[in-house]
Amino acid sequence: MAAHSSVEIAPSILAADFSALGEAVRAVEHAGAKLIHVDVMDGHFVPNISIGVPVVASLHKATQLPLDVHLMIERPEQYIGAFAKAGAAWITVHQEATAHLNRTIGQIREQGCRAGVAINPATPVSTLAEILPDVDLVLVMSVNPGFGGQHFLPSATRKIAELRELRSRYTYNFVIEVDGGVARETVPQVVRAGAEFLVAGTSVFHQQDPGKALQELQRLASEAFLQRA
Ligand code: DX5
Ligand code: ZN
C-alpha cells in the first residue's frame, strides 16, 4: 500500500466478541476492510489486559488481511520476534514504553514487519523528531489507551496536522494513524488533518451490522480524503 494514496478504516477487534473473532474478521474482510487492528495490552503499560501472541497467530490463519498490531505493553522489544512470527504485518510500539526506541524500531524492521511508533495524548509530537525518518507509521492516540468506547480527544487532530506538516517538510514516508473514539462525527476532521489509517472499534463492532458500519465510515473517510488539500 503506497504511503498516502488512500485512507483506510482499520477495524479494531478489541470491540468484537472474543469467542467469535474469526467471524468478526471475516465480516469486515467481506465488507472491504484492508487491514485489521489488534490491540495487545499487558496490564502494566495500560490498566487493562487483552490478548497476546497466540491470538495473533490464530487471526493470521483466519484472514488474508494484514494484521496491524498495536503493542500497549512495557518493554515491547522482548516480544517483537514472537509477534512477527505469529504473522503481524505492522508492529507499533509506544514511545513511552521502550527505552531504546531506535533499536526497537530496527528490530521490527529486521523481522520483515513495518514499524510504527505510537504516542499517548500527553506526549508531544516533538518527542518523535529523531525517529520520524525511520518509521513506517506514526499512531496518534486520540484517547488514553486501555479501553475501547471512549470519547475522542480533539488535541489529536492538531497532532495529526503537525505530523503531516513534518512529513511533507522533510519528505518522510510514514503513514499517519489515529486510534480512539473514531466514529462518523470524527472521521472527516482526522482525515482532513492528515490521517490515513483510522482505527475504529466501537463504531464498527458495536453496531448492528459491522460490515455496513465499516462501509459507511470508509465512505466518509474517502470523501474527506478527496477534499484534502
Ligand atoms: C484503545 C485501543 C483502541 C481501541 C479503540 O486503547 O488502542 O484501538 O480499540 O476503540 P474505539 O474505536 O472503541 O475507541
Ligand atoms: Zn489500538
Side-chain angles (χ1 to χ4, degrees):
M1 201 177 309
H4 343 115
S5 59
S6 65
V7 60
E8 302 297 343
I9 303 293
S12 165
I13 54 142
L14 186 67
D17 176 352
F18 276 12
S19 72
L21 283 181
E23 277 166 50
V25 163
R26 275 188 291 275
V28 288
E29 183 167 7
H30 185 71
K34 297 285 190 299
L35 74 167
I36 299 290
H37 187 80
V38 183
D39 287 308
V40 177
M41 304 178 181
D42 66 352
H44 292 277
F45 181 67
V46 290
N48 198 7
I49 300 174
S50 59
I51 54 166
V53 173
V55 176
V56 171
S58 297
L59 286 168
H60 185 54
K61 283 189 209 142
T63 179
Q64 306 280 332
L65 293 179
L67 300 175
D68 168 32
V69 177
H70 177 193
L71 298 182
M72 285 163 278
I73 65 177
E74 274 172 17
R75 301 195 191 173
E77 59 276 9
Q78 296 179 324
Y79 303 95
I80 302 301
F83 280 107
K85 205 165 156 223
W90 299 76
I91 297 180
T92 297
V93 298
H94 270 260
Q95 183 272 351
E96 305 89 354
T98 182
H100 304 285
L101 182 57
N102 183 276
R103 181 185 289 150
T104 306
I105 292 294
Q107 285 173 345
I108 298 173
R109 286 184 150 175
E110 272 163 29
Q111 295 288 330
C113 300
R114 309 270 194 111
V117 62
I119 47 172
N120 283 334
T123 305
V125 167
S126 57
T127 59
L128 300 179
E130 298 299 327
I131 202 71
L132 289 180
D134 301 318
V135 292
D136 300 298
L137 176 146
V138 180
L139 192 172
V140 175
M141 286 306 307
S142 40
V143 297
N144 285 295
F147 303 94
Q150 303 182 76
H151 285 296
F152 180 86
L153 297 171
S155 56
T157 306
R158 177 180 45 73
K159 290 163 81 174
I160 292 166
E162 197 179 333
L163 281 162
R164 187 181 180 212
E165 209 277 310
L166 289 169
R167 181 173 69 188
S168 108
R169 190 186 322 159
Y170 297 109
T171 58
Y172 295 146
N173 257 318
F174 54 81
V175 170
I176 303 173
E177 182 170 47
V178 58
D179 185 0
V182 172
R184 294 171 56 105
E185 306 71 41
T186 43
V187 161
Q189 70 186 78
V190 296
V191 173
R192 281 198 299 264
E196 288 93 20
F197 285 1
L198 278 56
V199 178
T202 303
S203 59
V204 170
F205 289 112
H206 286 195
Q207 308 306 307
Q208 217 172 19
D209 183 338
K212 262 200 184 145
L214 172 93
Q215 286 170 343
E216 173 63 3
L217 292 173
Q218 184 66 54
R219 188 185 65 75
L220 290 168
S222 302
E223 223 172 75
F225 190 73
L226 283 175
Q227 292 163 8
R228 183 157 127 175

